């Protein structure tokens, strides 16, 4: 079976481990262990009788719920079949520009959608050649000269697009809102993928949703699947100027969001207690996992603002992944699909304290077996 490019491929992991998929402890997909919320499950059950009907093609109820959640008019919001579907529409939009700039390492689906429309890509590395963190803010990153271009990118101006995620995947780095704002004046289109922003508590979050009505060239992508543990339902949304969203509506298939996903999303958005529970759970759980990893020889976790950690390893991480699967039935995410990271890094989700402890014990056991 082919090596997965994404996390969460339990069929592949189970085949390698020689066990049923539900026996795998999955650290490879960055999904909250607290959900799905009971409110979302109840909403799904309440809509089973409506499966005989087509969804509302305008998703009026869902857009209204999202508009209340973000304090925006509904016409500024477009639900999608996961943020991946909306990212494909973004790729078509960006392909019409001279080039698109990416902070690397970058989520693999960015390359997929840009390649699908033959968009030109310029890469700006977050890591130095020695694989240590080089820059913490975007001005420092994007003011450097691209290796194949002699002109600093501040001269590229409005012929170019910028596609970035914040918080950044796979590092977990959170860029400040202020570091992104200047680029809204310089680029024809700025797309900010905020798939993990929900994990950042409101006092610390750096979302650009609050300024989206001020910039017609800004698109913000959001996912409801990670924070609410609903990846199987496939639900995301885009926030952008209504003219842009109306154009995208004409490009895509009808009814991209199913009835059950829409109902679950509405319920989840209203579930304030689940949101508060997640913000209370994550920091100590992440810190406990970080400290445990840092104490293991040969491993160095990176600081993270979200529900996953990027870890540098002196051991081959693809080899480590297979050892953990075969010996412990634990799945971590190798970083081979991030060409800048290769076989020296792996990424793990923050899970419950017992799960995190099981991973730490398993890593220690694998290290001892190597001695």
């Amino acid at each position: 079976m082919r090596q997965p490019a994404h996390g969460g491929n339990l069929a592949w992991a189970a085949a390698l481990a020689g066990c049923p998929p539900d026996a795998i402890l999955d650290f490879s997909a960055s999904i909250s262990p607290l959900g799905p919320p009971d409110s979302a499950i109840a909403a799904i059950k309440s809509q089973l009788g409506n499966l005989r009907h087509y969804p509302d093609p305008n998703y009026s109820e869902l857009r209204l719920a999202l508009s209340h959640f973000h304090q925006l008019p509904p016409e500024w919001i477009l639900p999608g079949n996961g943020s991946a579907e909306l990212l494909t529409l973004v790729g078509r939009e960006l392909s019409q520009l001279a080039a698109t700039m990416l902070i690397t390492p970058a989520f693999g689906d960015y390359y997929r959608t840009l390649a699908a429309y033959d968009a030109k890509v310029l890469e700006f590395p977050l890591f130095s050649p020695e694989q240590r963190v080089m820059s913490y803010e975007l001005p420092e990153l994007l003011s450097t000269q691209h290796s194949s271009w002699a002109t600093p990118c501040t001269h590229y101006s409005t012929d170019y697009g910028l596609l970035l995620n914040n918080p950044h995947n796979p590092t977990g780095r959170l860029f400040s809102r202020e570091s992104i704002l200047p680029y809204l004046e310089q680029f024809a289109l700025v797309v900010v993928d905020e798939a993990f922003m929900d994990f950042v508590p409101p006092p610390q979050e750096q979302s650009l949703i609050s300024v989206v009505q001020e910039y017609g060239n800004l698109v913000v992508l959001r996912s409801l699947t990670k924070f609410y543990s609903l990846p199987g339902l496939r639900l995301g949304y885009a926030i952008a100027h209504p003219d842009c969203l109306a154009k995208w509506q004409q490009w895509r298939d009808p009814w991209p969001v199913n009835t059950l996903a829409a109902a679950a999303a509405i319920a989840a958005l209203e579930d304030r207690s689940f949101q508060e529970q997640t913000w209370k759970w994550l920091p100590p759980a992440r810190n406990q996992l970080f400290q445990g990893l840092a104490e293991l020889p040969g491993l160095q976790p990176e600081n993270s603002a979200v529900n996953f950690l990027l870890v540098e390893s002196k051991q081959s991480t693809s080899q480590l992944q297979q050892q953990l699967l075969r010996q412990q039935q634990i799945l971590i995410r190798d970083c081979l699909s991030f060409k800048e990271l290769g076989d020296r890094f792996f990424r793990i989700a923050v899970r419950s304290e017992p799960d995190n402890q099981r991973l730490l014990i398993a890593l220690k056991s694998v290290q001892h077996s190597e001695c």
Side-chain angles (χ1 to χ4, degrees):
M1 193 178 292
R2 186 178 179 184
Q3 180 89 355
H6 295 275
N9 192 326
L10 297 184
W12 173 87
L16 193 63
C19 66
D22 60 5
I24 299 292
L25 180 56
D26 185 15
F27 280 87
S28 72
S30 300
I31 306 298
S32 169
L34 303 185
D38 292 340
S39 57
I41 299 301
I44 289 171
K45 292 178 178 178
S46 74
Q47 292 298 312
L48 292 176
N50 286 327
L51 293 181
R52 70 191 69 188
H53 306 298
Y54 285 102
D56 169 14
N58 295 317
Y59 299 103
S60 303
E61 229 183 308
L62 175 54
R63 293 172 88 167
L64 186 62
L66 286 164
S67 76
H68 288 160
F69 189 75
H70 291 296
Q71 298 297 298
L72 286 171
E75 59 267 23
W76 285 76
I77 302 167
L78 182 65
N81 187 244
S83 56
E85 184 221 356
L86 301 164
L87 185 59
T88 299
L89 302 175
V90 163
R92 180 171 174 177
E93 197 80 59
L94 288 167
S95 69
Q96 300 171 27
L97 301 175
T100 296
M101 298 182 185
L102 288 181
I103 302 296
T104 61
F107 180 40
D109 267 17
Y110 298 163
Y111 292 101
R112 171 194 62 80
T113 185
L114 293 169
Y117 296 103
D118 296 321
K120 183 175 180 59
V121 177
L122 298 179
E123 298 177 326
F124 289 79
L126 187 62
F127 285 85
S128 71
E130 293 75 29
Q131 296 291 307
R132 300 311 306 161
V133 174
M134 178 177 66
S135 302
Y136 287 82
E137 291 291 353
L138 286 174
E140 187 178 348
L141 282 165
L142 293 178
S143 64
T144 59
Q145 293 187 355
H146 187 266
S147 59
S148 61
W149 288 65
T151 308
C153 75
T154 49
H155 295 173
Y156 293 160
S157 189
T158 54
D159 292 334
Y160 290 76
L162 175 62
L163 172 57
L164 60 96
N165 54 354
N166 190 33
H168 182 260
N169 177 17
T171 66
R173 172 94 21 87
L174 180 66
F175 297 116
S176 70
R177 182 186 296 108
E178 288 69 27
S179 70
I180 302 174
L181 286 174
Y183 296 102
L184 296 170
E185 304 287 349
Q186 298 178 30
F187 289 92
L189 183 63
V190 176
V191 181
V192 184
D193 178 358
E194 295 185 353
F196 290 95
M197 190 65 78
D198 286 324
F199 287 100
V200 184
Q204 288 86 46
E205 65 92 13
Q206 300 295 317
S207 176
L208 265 67
I209 291 175
S210 62
V211 300
V212 74
Q213 290 181 279
E214 301 172 33
Y215 297 94
N217 62 332
L218 172 61
V219 175
V220 177
L221 299 179
R222 283 289 187 110
S223 170
L224 285 168
T225 63
K226 297 172 174 62
F227 187 85
Y228 298 102
S229 309
L230 295 167
L233 280 183
R234 311 305 309 130
L235 186 67
Y237 55 99
I239 298 178
H241 194 281
D243 291 346
C244 175
L245 299 183
K247 177 172 59 175
W248 290 7
Q249 277 276 44
Q250 297 174 355
W251 288 353
R252 67 179 184 168
D253 297 336
W255 307 297
V257 179
N258 69 72
T259 296
L260 302 184
I266 293 169
L269 291 167
E270 296 173 350
D271 198 334
R272 302 296 182 182
S273 63
F274 180 84
Q275 295 156 14
E276 293 288 347
Q277 179 190 9
T278 304
W279 295 325
K280 183 178 180 180
W281 154 77
L282 180 56
R286 182 177 58 218
N287 183 63
Q288 173 248 346
L289 182 56
F290 181 98
Q291 294 298 330
L293 290 165
E295 291 170 4
L296 294 176
L299 298 182
Q300 178 56 58
E302 297 284 342
N303 288 315
S304 171
V306 288
N307 67 322
F308 59 81
L309 296 172
L310 181 68
V311 185
E312 185 175 8
S313 172
K314 292 183 179 179
Q315 177 186 353
S316 161
T317 54
S318 56
Q319 179 183 349
L320 177 62
Q321 180 192 61
Q322 296 200 17
Q323 288 176 309
L324 287 171
L325 272 174
R326 291 193 170 107
Q327 298 175 22
Q328 307 287 342
Q329 298 179 341
I330 292 176
L331 176 60
I332 61 173
R333 168 71 190 274
D334 69 48
C335 289
L336 295 177
S337 63
F338 301 100
K339 61 181 183 294
E340 297 83 6
L341 302 182
D343 207 25
R344 292 184 57 194
F345 288 82
F346 63 91
R347 195 193 68 192
I348 51 173
V350 180
R351 295 184 57 92
S352 66
E353 183 175 351
D355 287 351
N356 294 340
Q357 285 297 333
R358 180 177 160 189
L359 172 65
L360 294 171
I361 292 170
L363 285 168
K364 187 179 295 185
S365 173
V366 168
Q367 286 184 337
H368 286 165
S369 69
E370 290 291 304
C371 297

